[in-house]
Each structure stands twice: as structure tokens, then as C-alpha cells.
């Protein structure tokens, strides 16, 4: 049972009865939402209806959605059912892999960003070894207490983003310049920029 019909080639059932074209007996339709102004010419109250176009002969069949509470009022009955002719392909999972060079650059930037935060007294010294130990989850909790961490592995990049956002938040560096570098020069640029600010 569905809440509303999707406009795609499909077979449709209304309260368990298949929708059949009354001209050619075909059962594949393209259902469109149509709106009916029930208060015409008064206030605009619209009822949603459907117009299903038969994909064989083009004949239109109009129907409403008879979904509603069951006669005894204890249940809700969804009347419409739809099976798409061409169900959408499931999206392939996105697998992102970071090459070694990028990972090294991310870790190096992360380490520098943390050094800057320690230097300015924003976070404790204790975070520094966590980068080398790749304890990204602990790192993330220290940078942003209360942050939601899913069960997935946390990439160094995410920690770097958090560390940079702390730098931006506390205005430790020229924020405009930092944004410009992140946008245009990526890791090599961030690395040397941060390096210049470590005492
Ligand atoms: Zn037809």
C-alpha cells in the first residue's frame, strides 16, 4: 500500500482491485496527480485526484484515493497500491578511498592544526599523540564534545575539518585567508600556512 502514486509507468490497485483500461483492457498506466477545486467559485479547497493515462491507448481514467479509517474506526486503510514497471536501480554504495599521499598530507595538516590549537590554549596537549596513533574517534570527541559518531571508521579528513573549524571559530588565524587556501590550494597550501603560525 502506498501513501500516494508516483508518476511512472506502473500497475495500480485500488482497494485490492487492479485498475484496467475500460477501452483496451490494458493494465499499465501513467498516473498523474490532478486537483479539483471543491469550493468553486468560493475559497480554494482542493482535493487531490488521480488521472491515469493508459500506456496502450492513451485513454484517461480518473479516480480518487478512497483511503481512510476503517468502518469501526480502529484502523486506517490505505487503498492504493502501485507496482512500477521499471523499478529504480538501487544506488551503488559510494566507496571513497584515500591514497597514501593524501592521507599523509591530511595527517600532517591535522597535526599542525592541533599544535596551533594547543599553542593557543584551546585544547590539551594530550591530543597530539592521537594523530600518529590514528585514534580519530577519540580525537573527534576532544575537538567537538558531544558530536555524533556513527559506527563507521572516522577518516583523518573529518578530524581535520573539525580542527580547522575550531581555528576558524576562535579566530586564531585570518579566516578569509584560511578559507581561500582551503578552497584553492588544498593540502599543500594549508600545511605551509599552518606551519607559519606555529611558534
Ligand atoms: Zn487503454
Amino acid at each position: 500500500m502506498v501513501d500516494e502514486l508516483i508518476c511512472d509507468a506502473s500497475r495500480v490497485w485500488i482497494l485490492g482491485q487492479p485498475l484496467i483500461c475500460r477501452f483496451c483492457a490494458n493494465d499499465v498506466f501513467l498516473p498523474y496527480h490532478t486537483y479539483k477545486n471543491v469550493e468553486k467559485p468560493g475559497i480554494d479547497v482542493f482535493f487531490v485526484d488521480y488521472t491515469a493515462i493508459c500506456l496502450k491507448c492513451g485513454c484517461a481514467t480518473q479516480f480518487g484515493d478512497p483511503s481512510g479509517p476503517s468502518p469501526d474506526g480502529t484502523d486506517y486503510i490505505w487503498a492504493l497500491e502501485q507496482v512500477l514497471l521499471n523499478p529504480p536501480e538501487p544506488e551503488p554504495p559510494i566507496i571513497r578511498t584515500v591514497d597514501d599521499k593524501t592521507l599523509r598530507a591530511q595527517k600532517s595538516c591535522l597535526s599542525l592544526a592541533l599544535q596551533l590549537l594547543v599553542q593557543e590554549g584551546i585544547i590539551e596537549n594530550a591530543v597530539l599523540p592521537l594523530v600518529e596513533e590514528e585514534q580519530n574517534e577519540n580525537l573527534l570527541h576532544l575537538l567537538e564534545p558531544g558530536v555524533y559518531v556513527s559506527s563507521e571508521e572516522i577518516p583523518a579528513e573529518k578530524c581535520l575539518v573539525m580542527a580547522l573549524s575550531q581555528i576558524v571559530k576562535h579566530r586564531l588565524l585570518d579566516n578569509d585567508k584560511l578559507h581561500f587556501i582551503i578552497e584553492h590550494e588544498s593540502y599543500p597550501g594549508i600545511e605551509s600556512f599552518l606551519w607559519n603560525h606555529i611558534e
Side-chain angles (χ1 to χ4, degrees), residues 21 24 54 57:
C21 176
C24 74
C54 168
C57 74

Side-chain angles (χ1 to χ4, degrees), residues 114-123 197-199:
L114 294 175
Q115 281 180 54
L116 191 69
L117 288 166
V118 169
Q119 179 184 299
E120 302 296 329
I122 310 288
I123 50 171
H197 292 83
I198 306 286
E199 284 165 10

